[in-house]
Amino acid sequence: MTTITRFAPSPTGWMHIGNLRAAMFNYAIARQNGGRFILRIDDTDQERSKPEYEQGIKDVLTWLGIRWDDIQKQSDRLVRYDEARQQLLDAGRIYECFETPTELDLKRKKQLNMGKPPVYDRAALSLTDAQKQAYRDEGRQGHWRFKLDLERVEWDDGIMGPISIDCASVSDPVLIKESGQILYTFASPVDDVDMGITDIVRGSDHVTNTATQIQIMQALGGRVPRFAHHSLLTGPQGEALSKRLGTLALRDLRAQGIAAEAVLSLMARLGSSQPVVLVDGIDDVVAGFDVSTFGSAPTKFDFEDLWPLTARHLARLDAAAVKPTLDDAGVPDDLQPAFWDVVKENITKLEDVAPWWALFRDGGQAVVADEDREMVTQAFDLLGEPPYTDATWGEWTGAVKDATGRKGKGLFMPLRLAVTGQARGPEMAQVMPLLQKKPTL
């Protein structure tokens, strides 16, 4: 049997870091087994779904190297959902309800006050045709619920282990709203059955959905996939990440300079028993993926952890890999290899390249303490005009030492600050050959 997985995002906002693990995990399972990965756009909410968000999902997946074998849009499958609705209606598995949101809320509050679980009481099952018509005559539109078998649904979850949900403790799920909108609870199992999905990895907030959707799949005569539910992400202090998702859109992380490889490296291991290792791309993630190593406990995510991974990734690249950035910064072709070798260990993101070249081209903003000014002035008098070599720094500091008596940190640090304006950075012996102008105060 061919392994078939899917990623089914809703284009109602920019794809964020919380969505990514489902995409990566399902992709890895498909690729490890020589199967197929489907991108399924959950756009049945036509009011909130936007073309730009759909394109944003595709752009992010492409940036990360996640390639889909097929793309489906749920808005193109509305006729199929109507057929499935009729199939369930004929089988007596769905029924029409007319309660308003206010009435349902009052029912829930009454049940809670009585110490009972707030489960829908199935009152609509006893409505006569005349009562239903009376509701329609007063302007009410019906919504449709799936009639659950009041029994336990069990499966061996790929992450959480054995799961057992008593459907007697769960409300019959709404499948179709009063407006006619097909809800995720219905569209997803219909699609999973029709598309032959064999494996589904999604967030642990879907565990109860899984129990009800298994019954829907069975009622449709479909095969139930293997399920795994990964942990939900929290902020670094354990706070709900949902409050920060607006700042964690993947397109924004990309725009800030985070490398795709950094995102893949962190998200491929976060929440698992395996250490985070820097990967070169999605193929490395696939090769090392094992869903059983992940836990179900909430997983802390800190955006700041992506910066050192980005820096490590950049340090592994050669000049040819970043040539467009070097060209944009104005680095001459003949200097690019030497320049990149000098700065790549001293940048966090590619945007840092241009300031470094500006320093080498125009000179740094000299930082000179009052007590060092006389020594630095004398030192600059002893320095000739460029071009300099990798021997220039040693020869120059030796001459300054002889002339001023300065040595050690008292010699080298003031000169570094005077030349570059920075207390830390590349070895000065490497910096000097790249200086295009003689340093001045």
Side-chain angles (χ1 to χ4, degrees), residues 251-265:
R251 72 164 195 156
D252 294 335
L253 299 185
R254 181 184 185 184
Q256 291 177 52
I258 296 293
E261 293 77 6
V263 175
L264 292 171
S265 300

Side-chain angles (χ1 to χ4, degrees), residues 54-292:
E54 179 182 335
Q55 186 59 49
I57 292 167
K58 297 174 184 176
D59 290 344
V60 164
L61 295 180
T62 300
W63 172 55
L64 295 170
I66 297 175
R67 304 170 298 279
W68 52 91
D69 300 299
D70 185 22
I71 184 167
Q72 297 282 341
K73 295 180 65 169
Q74 291 185 329
S75 59
D76 294 335
R77 292 175 49 78
L78 299 181
V79 171
R80 171 61 187 131
Y81 302 140
D82 191 54
E83 293 172 350
R85 182 195 71 84
Q86 188 61 49
Q87 179 183 349
L88 295 179
L89 183 62
D90 292 343
R93 296 305 299 272
I94 62 172
Y95 58 100
E96 194 174 15
C97 307
F98 291 88
E99 292 95 345
T100 66
T102 299
E103 289 169 344
L104 289 173
D105 187 53
L106 289 173
K107 283 187 177 185
R108 283 191 291 266
K109 289 179 178 178
K110 182 178 180 180
Q111 288 170 317
L112 289 170
N113 289 336
M114 296 172 63
K116 298 180 178 180
V119 176
Y120 179 61
D121 60 8
R122 293 183 165 181
L125 283 173
S126 62
L127 292 176
T128 65
D129 290 343
Q131 289 173 317
K132 292 177 183 179
Q133 188 59 49
Y135 279 131
R136 295 189 185 99
D137 291 343
E138 66 180 55
R140 295 198 189 194
Q141 298 294 319
H143 58 271
W144 294 84
R145 290 180 183 268
F146 179 76
K147 185 180 178 183
L148 291 167
D149 288 330
L150 303 183
E151 60 188 26
R152 286 195 170 274
V153 173
E154 299 179 342
W155 71 94
D156 188 14
D157 195 273
I159 292 175
M160 302 179 73
I163 299 290
S164 177
I165 301 291
D166 183 2
C167 287
S169 65
V170 179
S171 290
D172 289 341
V174 177
L175 304 188
I176 305 172
K177 296 177 67 173
E178 292 86 348
S179 63
Q181 179 189 333
I182 305 296
L183 295 181
Y184 164 85
T185 313
F186 186 31
S188 183
V190 173
D191 291 346
D192 290 336
V193 167
D194 288 356
M195 297 174 191
I197 302 301
T198 61
D199 296 82
I200 298 173
V201 185
R202 56 187 178 184
S204 59
D205 53 334
H206 285 288
V207 168
T208 301
N209 281 341
T210 296
T212 59
Q213 289 178 349
I214 285 175
Q215 286 206 16
I216 295 171
M217 291 175 184
Q218 291 170 334
L220 291 169
R223 178 183 179 277
V224 177
R226 291 179 289 268
F227 285 94
H229 294 82
H230 62 70
S231 62
L232 300 182
L233 297 181
T234 72
Q237 305 304 319
E239 69 274 20
L241 194 64
S242 58
K243 298 178 181 178
R244 298 184 55 214
L245 289 181
T247 65
L248 294 175
L250 286 159
R251 72 164 195 156
D252 294 335
L253 299 185
R254 181 184 185 184
Q256 291 177 52
I258 296 293
E261 293 77 6
V263 175
L264 292 171
S265 300
L266 184 60
M267 303 314 294
R269 295 290 179 85
L270 193 66
S272 79
S273 58
Q274 299 176 298
V276 174
V277 295
L278 185 60
V279 301
D280 288 328
I282 190 65
D283 290 344
D284 287 351
V285 173
V286 171
F289 180 75
D290 182 355
V291 72
S292 68

Side-chain angles (χ1 to χ4, degrees), residues 321-332:
V322 295
K323 182 170 175 53
T325 298
L326 301 178
D327 289 342
D328 289 345
V331 184

Side-chain angles (χ1 to χ4, degrees), residues 363-382:
Q365 181 64 48
V367 176
V368 182
D370 290 342
E371 63 269 22
D372 296 324
R373 183 165 294 275
E374 183 178 346
M375 185 273 288
V376 171
T377 300
Q378 189 174 357
F380 281 176
D381 289 341
L382 292 170

